[in-house]
Structures are given as C-alpha cells and as structure tokens.
Amino acid sequence: TQLLEQSPQFLSIQEGENLTVYCNSSSVFSSLQWYRQEPGEGPVLLVTVVTGGEVKKLKRLTFQFGDARKDSSLHITAAQPGDTGLYLCAGVSGTSYGKLTFGQGTILTVHP
Amino acid sequence: DVKVTQSSRYLVKRTGEKVFLECVQDMDHENMFWYRQDPGLGLRLIYFSYDVKMKEKGDIPEGYSVSREKKERFSLILESASTNQTSMYLCASSLSLATNLGTYEQYFGPGTRLTVT
C-alpha cells in the first residue's frame, strides 16, 4: 500500500506569515495533486504537478514536485485569513486505475 | 465547470436502517468514487467504479455496497447503518486513463454528513 505522509497536521499562523506544507512518500507517483477543502464542503483541486522538479505558481501559492517524484511541497507567501482550510495532497501511481492516495491533510488557520 | 451533486447535505438515520446516498455528475466522467472522511484519518476510499455496472472495492468496503446503473449516477448503500458509520461521505468523479493523460484529477461533491443514532 502506498502512503503519503503530510506534515504538519496543524498550522496556526498570523496574517502575513509564510508557511510550507510537506507531502512525502517512499513510493514514486506519476503525478501529484493538491486540494483545498473548506468546512462543510468537498475538496477543490488547486494544482496538478506531473514532471519531477516541476514548480507551479498560483498567485501566492507555490507548488513543487520532487525530482524523484516521491515528494511535494506547498508554500504560501503572506498568508491571508481566506487561505484558512484543509490542504490535502494526493498521488497517482502508474497502476492506480484512477485511484488517488491521499495524505492525512493539513489544517491551516490564518488569524487576522 | 464540472458539477458533482450529492442528494443530501445532512442526514440522520437510526441504527439498522438501510441508507442510500446518491451522487450525480454532469461531465460524462467514466470514474466515480465514494470516500468517507473522518478527523485525523483523511479520505478513505470505500468503493470506486470505472464504468457502468463495474465496481471495485476500495480500502474500507465492509458494511457498504454500491450501484452504478447509469454513467452519471453512483449510489452508496449502507445495508444496515451502524453508529461507527457516522461520518462525512464524499463522492468524486474523474476521467478515465484514455482521456486523462494519467493525471486523474478528481472533482468532488459537497459531501453528506451522516449521523447514525
């Protein structure tokens, strides 16, 4: 069974601070996705990274896929209260038939 | 935009009742999934379906069954609800391998919060 270890589990910061969330595995993934989930709603896809070493930017969010495609990170610059939510990473393996392996999630709270 | 809808946002059932959770997607996706989400445990896959009438067990299928009679609809059935099935249930859909280039982005419904008393 493939596992994705996501850290930290909880993050509570002040508005304007920077933060990084990590997603690590001993397995290789063909692609990795990041989702954000607000309370009472389903997860919403933020980005997909496919190539080892790839970096994608979405406004103040920067996503990186490790060179070996076993890990990924999400960096938020100058966090805002609107960034509050649960962040989930999810990996696709070559044989998964469309199934995703999810990390446990990081609950981010940004205080004004 | 992809839209995935779930029949109920909140549901309260009694132990032993048969419970049906319905999910409908409007983007002609081949793959559909049912997850449950519990604090500290993340999303756990219950069942998935890669075509009409096709289904496969996920990581925690015990106590659940599914039905997919039409491509757009995927139902989760709790044959005899128990209190340990109190949870948030999320449905998702994605394109198949042939049309997805292997990235399998999933689109989620808003979830059904089920309470079994």
Side-chain angles (χ1 to χ4, degrees):
Chain A
T1 303
Q2 294 181 302
L3 290 174
L4 266 174
E5 297 290 332
Q6 196 172 333
S7 63
Q9 191 175 355
F10 300 95
L11 208 46
S12 180
I13 61 172
Q14 293 297 124
E15 182 175 2
E17 291 183 17
N18 301 334
L19 66 111
T20 303
V21 177
Y22 298 93
C23 191
N24 295 294
S25 177
S26 58
S27 305
V28 175
F29 291 98
S30 58
S31 65
L32 198 136
Q33 301 161 20
W34 285 92
Y35 292 82
R36 178 169 168 262
Q37 184 179 16
E38 297 191 21
E41 300 295 331
V44 175
L45 180 70
L46 294 173
V47 77
T48 301
V49 285
V50 179
T51 308
E54 182 177 4
V55 176
K56 279 191 174 179
K57 292 194 174 184
L58 193 65
K59 297 183 181 177
R60 292 176 292 100
L61 278 61
T62 301
F63 304 86
Q64 187 162 5
F65 201 13
D67 291 341
R69 290 185 287 131
K70 293 182 179 181
D71 56 270
S72 182
S73 64
L74 156 62
H75 182 80
I76 301 179
T77 304
Q80 298 176 1
D83 295 327
T84 293
L86 172 68
Y87 289 82
L88 294 157
C89 63
V92 180
S93 71
T95 58
S96 69
Y97 215 156
K99 293 189 293 181
L100 298 179
T101 297
F102 280 90
Q104 306 96 314
T106 295
I107 298 175
L108 171 64
T109 305
V110 182
H111 301 280
Chain B
D1 279 352
V2 176
K3 193 163 185 183
V4 180
T5 56
Q6 294 184 229
S7 49
S8 306
R9 295 297 298 268
Y10 300 93
L11 211 50
V12 180
K13 295 292 182 180
R14 293 194 180 277
T15 302
E17 279 193 80
K18 191 168 186 176
V19 181
F20 293 87
L21 302 183
E22 302 283 338
C23 175
V24 177
Q25 51 94 4
D26 67 357
M27 283 301 291
D28 205 34
H29 283 173
E30 292 83 3
N31 296 338
M32 294 189 76
F33 307 83
W34 274 107
Y35 297 90
R36 62 177 285 175
Q37 184 176 32
D38 301 287
L41 297 177
L43 271 71
R44 292 182 291 168
L45 182 64
I46 304 171
Y47 268 96
F48 74 102
S49 168
Y50 51 89
D51 202 349
V52 175
K53 297 191 186 295
M54 306 303 286
K55 61 186 179 185
E56 284 205 15
K57 294 179 180 179
D59 300 318
I60 51 164
E62 297 79 19
Y64 303 94
S65 62
V66 290
S67 172
R68 192 163 180 204
E69 297 297 317
K70 293 185 178 181
K71 190 175 186 180
E72 67 271 18
R73 189 179 296 270
F74 192 33
S75 302
L76 179 69
I77 303 150
L78 286 66
E79 296 290 341
S80 177
S82 64
T83 54
N84 62 13
Q85 292 178 309
T86 291
S87 185
M88 169 73 111
Y89 289 87
L90 291 162
C91 174
S93 70
S94 75
L95 289 168
S96 70
L97 173 63
T99 50
N100 204 319
L101 302 179
T103 54
Y104 294 114
E105 286 103 345
Q106 291 190 8
Y107 297 86
F108 285 83
T112 296
R113 184 161 295 282
L114 172 67
T115 302
V116 183
T117 62

